[in-house]
Every structure is written in C-alpha cells, then in structure tokens.
C-alpha cells in the first residue's frame, strides 16, 4: 500500500485546481462555438481571441507544481486547434501564435517539435520573426547538442528565419555553423547529412551574403521540412519569384533548378 504525505496530496490537488481554473475560462468559448458554429462573426471571433489571450496570460503565471510537460503538451494541442482553424484565422490573423509558444517553451524548452511550429506560425503567418527568433534564443539556453535528441534542428530553424525574414545573413551563418557543430556530435546518417548541409550553407553565406542562391536554398529547406500545404505553396512562390524553377521528379520528389545568374 502506498502512502502520501499531506503536502504531496495538497500540492497535487492545488495543481489540479489551477489547471481546472484555467480550463474553465474555455467554457464560454466552447458555448459560443456551439451556438454559432456556422460562419461566426468577426466580433465573436475577437471575443474568443481575447478570452484565449487571458487564458494564456494566466498560464504564464500559474505555478506548475512539477507538471510543466503536461501543461506544455496541453497548450500545444490548443495551439494546433487555433492554427488549424483556417476560416477564423483568415478573419483574425495569427497574432496569438507567439503567446502559445511563450507558454509552451517556458514550460518545456526541450519540446523539439514545438520549435518548428513556432517558426512556421509566428515568423511566416503572424509576421513576427523577431519574436520567433527571440523565443528560440531563449529556449536554446536550456538545450545542448544531445538534449533533446537532435536539438541541432532548432539552430537550423533559427538560421532559416534570420535569413528569410530578417535578411540577416551574418546571424544566419552563425546559426548554421552551430547547427553543423551540434549535428556533428551524432553518428547516424541523418545527422551526418544535416551537419554537412549546415556547414555548406554557413560557408556559402560567408562567401555570398546577398546571394539569391542562398535564399532559394533556404526556401528549399522549408519545403523539405514537414510543413502544411499553405507553407509549402508560399515556399514554392518565393523560390519562383527569386528565379528558381520547381521540377517534379517521377518519384514525386522535387528538385530546384537555380537561375543562371545570381
């Protein structure tokens, strides 16, 4: 038979009550959603956004009592619901995206998958690359080459955002250099490939800081990530606008034909 101290039971119950209290803030939102499921008005959507923002702000201050990972996973699922509501986002935009990830990465900075969601939603859709990069920089303080597994991807996401959205080739070069260094700590084939690609990208940026080739190559990296269809189509448009040509191979993969002159 297991015995628990009053302090342990009290802490657990307090944590549950805190999470329940935050969850209750969603109840009016759920009722509104059910009542006006079809074609909600902009006014209603804005009210929902304000409720959600209040909930996220509360979560930033709520003690976790050791349940940081649970809270991070829960908020990430909420983000996926928010991001996937195309109809609502077409009306209100994606301004809450960084608010979700501020909670998620504060609770669990080693949540690797969250960094890709942060880059796509905040840099690309919310048009806040500085916020996205800032959150990555903060998260990287808690990471190391092997914690979490393949943490080098965070440096790559940061390097991509710095080049594509800020045009900061020097910062991007440094990020890809770090990605190469971290990836070189592994011996599996994927990591070796990433180390080589990151190193070559850093070297190319060093020699050609204003090159269209570098931007095309970086958008190609976006295409090669597991991104949604909207991101994929934007990457294709950007590559074509820079003079690149998208060529589909027989096996369904794509390759990029670079312009003749930079």
């Amino acid at each position: 038979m297991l015995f628990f101290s009053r302090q342990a039971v009290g802490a657990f119950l307090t944590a549950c009550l805190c999470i329940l209290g935050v969850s209750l803030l969603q109840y009016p939102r759920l009722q509104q959603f059910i009542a006006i499921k079809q074609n909600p008005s902009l006014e209603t959507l804005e009210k929902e956004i304000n409720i959600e923002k209040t909930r996220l702000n509360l979560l930033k201050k709520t003690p976790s009592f050791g349940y940081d990972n649970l809270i991070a996973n829960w908020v990430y699922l909420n983000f996926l619901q928010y991001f996937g509501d195309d109809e609502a986002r077409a009306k209100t935009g994606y301004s809450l995206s960084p608010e979700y990830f501020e909670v998620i990465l504060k609770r669990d900075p080693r949540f690797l998958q969250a960094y890709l969601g942060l880059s796509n939603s905040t840099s690309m859709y919310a048009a806040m690359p500085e916020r996205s990069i800032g959150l990555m920089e903060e998260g990287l303080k808690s990471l190391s080459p092997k914690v979490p597994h393949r943490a080098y991807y965070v440096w790559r996401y940061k390097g991509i955002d710095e080049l594509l959205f800020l045009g900061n080739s020097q910062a991007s070069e440094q990020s890809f250099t770090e990605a190469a260094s971290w990836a070189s700590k592994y011996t599996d084939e994927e990591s070796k490939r990433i180390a080589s690609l990151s190193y070559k990208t850093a070297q190319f940026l060093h020699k050609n800081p204003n090159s269209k080739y570098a931007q095309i190559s970086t958008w190609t990296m976006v295409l090669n990530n597991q991104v949604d269809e909207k991101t994929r189509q934007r990457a294709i448009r950007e590559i074509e606008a820079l003079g690149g040509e998208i060529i589909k191979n027989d096996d369904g993969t794509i390759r990029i034909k670079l312009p003749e002159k930079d």
Side-chain angles (χ1 to χ4, degrees):
M1 182 177 294
L2 297 176
F3 295 93
F4 299 93
S5 68
R6 287 185 178 180
Q7 290 84 354
V9 173
F12 176 76
L13 291 175
T14 302
C16 290
L17 288 172
C18 287
I19 294 175
L20 177 61
V22 174
S23 300
L24 288 174
L25 287 173
Q26 289 186 297
Y27 183 74
R29 180 183 174 203
L30 176 61
Q31 294 304 307
Q32 288 179 332
F33 178 76
I34 293 172
I36 50 168
K37 189 174 181 180
Q38 299 297 325
N39 194 27
S41 67
L42 177 60
E43 181 182 2
T44 298
L45 290 173
E46 289 177 343
K47 287 181 180 178
E48 290 183 0
I49 292 294
N50 288 333
I51 292 172
E52 186 72 345
K53 187 172 183 178
T54 299
R55 186 180 73 92
L56 291 170
N57 285 334
L58 182 57
L59 277 170
K60 293 175 185 178
K61 304 172 184 178
T62 302
S64 66
F65 300 100
Y67 295 95
D68 282 316
N69 289 355
L70 178 63
I71 294 173
N73 290 337
W74 176 53
V75 175
Y76 186 68
L77 290 175
N78 278 260
F79 160 75
L80 293 177
Q81 181 182 16
Y82 165 85
F83 187 73
D85 191 344
D86 293 336
E87 182 180 348
R89 299 292 73 75
K91 294 179 179 179
T92 66
Y94 296 83
S95 62
L96 278 188
S97 292
E99 307 303 325
Y100 281 103
F101 286 101
E102 186 172 338
V103 176
I104 294 166
L105 295 176
K106 180 180 179 181
R107 300 290 183 176
D108 186 6
R110 297 174 179 177
F111 190 168
L112 185 60
Q113 185 179 358
Y115 287 94
L116 177 57
L118 166 65
S119 176
N120 285 342
S121 67
T122 302
S123 294
M124 190 167 296
Y125 288 100
M128 301 179 189
E130 294 91 348
R131 186 86 179 274
S132 176
I133 291 167
L135 288 170
M136 288 190 217
E137 289 176 344
E138 188 63 30
L140 279 164
K141 295 176 182 178
S142 300
L143 308 187
S144 63
K146 291 194 174 183
V147 181
H149 186 59
R150 292 176 177 166
Y152 51 78
Y153 275 111
V154 180
W155 282 111
R156 285 177 63 81
Y157 300 150
K158 180 171 174 284
I160 288 172
D161 283 5
E162 287 165 337
L163 181 60
L164 295 187
F165 303 109
L166 299 185
N168 190 338
S169 60
Q170 184 176 1
S172 182
E173 176 194 338
Q174 293 172 349
S175 292
F176 279 108
T177 298
E178 290 293 338
S181 175
W182 283 30
S184 68
K185 309 296 183 184
Y186 295 79
T187 58
D188 62 280
E189 292 304 315
E190 178 182 349
S191 298
K192 289 179 180 179
R193 179 176 62 84
I194 294 299
S196 176
L197 288 173
S198 298
Y199 176 75
K200 290 177 181 177
T201 301
Q203 289 296 101
F204 189 86
L205 287 171
H206 182 73
K207 297 176 181 177
N208 306 276
N210 300 313
S211 174
K212 285 185 180 180
Y213 291 169
Q215 290 178 290
I216 291 174
S217 296
T218 308
W219 279 112
T220 303
M221 292 179 200
V222 173
L223 274 180
N224 289 331
N225 287 330
Q226 294 180 350
V227 295
D228 59 274
E229 185 59 24
K230 290 183 294 187
T231 305
R232 177 182 172 84
Q233 291 302 319
R234 175 168 180 186
I236 290 173
R237 289 196 303 271
E238 295 288 350
I239 289 170
E240 292 176 339
L242 289 164
E245 181 182 353
I246 308 293
I247 300 175
K248 293 184 178 180
N249 299 318
D250 293 337
D251 61 0
T253 60
I254 64 171
R255 60 188 175 91
I256 311 298
K257 182 179 180 181
L258 297 173
E260 293 183 3
K261 293 183 179 181
D262 190 11

